[in-house]
Amino acid sequence: MHFSKQFILYLGLFFLFISCNSKTQRQENFGEISATDSRNKVIHLEQEAQRVVALFEPAVDHIYMLQASNVLVGIPEQVYLNASGYEFLSGLDDKIKNKEIATPSFSGRAISAESVLQLNPDLVILYEADSETINQLEGLGLNVYTVSSKNKEAIYLELKGLATLIGKSKRAEELIQYTENELNKINKAPKLDKKVYYAWSKGRIFSTSGKGTLIDAAIEAAGAQNACPLEMEATNISAETIYEWNPDLIILWNSKPEDVYSLKELQALPAVKQKQVYDFSPVFYYDPHTIKFMLFAKQLREWCEPQNTTAENDIKKDLKTLYGL
C-alpha cells in the first residue's frame, strides 16, 4: 500500500497532537490535591492519601479528631508509651489498644527511614524541626507534609492542609469553627489580673516559655498573662527571677505540684505558700500543639477563678465534640 509524503506528514502531526494532549491532561490531573505545609512548600498528591505515616504525636491526635484513623499505617512509638494518650485513643480504636499500628520510630523522635519505606505511605507527616529526616525521606521520593504547631494560626492552617490531603476538609472546618466559638466565649469574659508561670515537663521547673510562644498564646486565650516577659521558647532562669516575676499561679506540664513544693529555694514564693501550683492532668486532654489549646485555656481560666467550677463538665463535652463521640 502506498501513502503520499503529505499524508504521512499529516498522520505524524495527528499522533503528535494526541501525544501532547495526553501529556497535558496528565499534567492537569497531577497534583489535583494540594496543601501548603509549615515550610511554605506545596505538597501535591494525585489522589487523597490512603496510607499515612504520622510521626508527630499531635498530628496523630488531629487525624483521630478528623475521624480518619483508617488511613494511619504508622505512628510514633510514643503514642503507645504516653499513658494518658494511649488510654484515651485505645477507647477510640482497637488498633491502638492492641498496638497493631506500626511504629517506625524509636527513642523519642528517632526514625527508621527503611521502616517508613516498607509501609509504602502516600503521605508522611513530620515535625518541621526534624529537618534531617525530612530531607532523607523526600530524597527517597516520599511525600512529606511538615507541621510546626507554633501558634493558633499555624495549628489551624496545618489542620486544614492535612485534612485536604486525606479528604476531610469539611470535618476540619467544623473543628476549627467549634474551637473558635468556644474561645470567643472566654474572650467575652473580663480579662484576668493574673500572672501565670509555666514550667516545662518532667520536673524542669526552671525552664519556661516566653512571649510569642505557643504556651504564651494559650495563657492569653485564658484571659491571663504570661509571667515570663522574655521572647524566648526555652528559657532557663533562676529562682531569683521567679521571685522577681512573682506569678500568681504556677502551672505544670507532665510534672507534679510536689516537684515545686519540694524545692527549698521556692518555698517563700507567694504562689507556693498559697498552694497555687497546678498540673494539667491527664496531659492528653490539654495538648497545646493541637486545637485542644482551647481546653488548656479553659482549665487555666478555672484555676485563675476559684469560683469558676464549670471547666470539668465543659471539657468532657468538648472532648465528645472534638472526637465525634
Side-chain angles (χ1 to χ4, degrees), residues 189-192 194 276 278 300-311:
K191 293 293 182 183
L192 301 168
K194 298 282 187 178
Q276 294 299 298
Y278 302 91
L300 177 54
R301 180 89 190 189
E302 181 177 285
W303 290 334
C304 291
E305 297 180 304
Q307 71 278 15
N308 179 4
T309 58
T310 63

Side-chain angles (χ1 to χ4, degrees), residues 61-68 155-156 159-160 162-163 166 168-183 290-294 318-325:
D61 198 1
H62 271 160
I63 287 174
Y64 276 92
M65 292 188 217
L66 291 169
Q67 299 176 322
I155 289 172
Y156 285 172
L159 176 60
K160 287 180 181 179
L162 172 57
I166 62 177
K168 290 291 185 177
S169 293
K170 182 179 178 182
R171 175 63 179 162
E173 292 294 343
E174 292 171 351
L175 289 168
I176 291 169
Q177 187 59 59
Y178 180 81
T179 303
E180 278 295 289
N181 289 343
E182 294 302 304
L183 288 173
T290 71
I291 55 174
K292 289 187 295 187
F293 70 86
M294 176 262 292
D318 293 334
L319 289 169
K320 289 180 180 179
T321 301
L322 294 178
Y323 291 92
L325 301 178

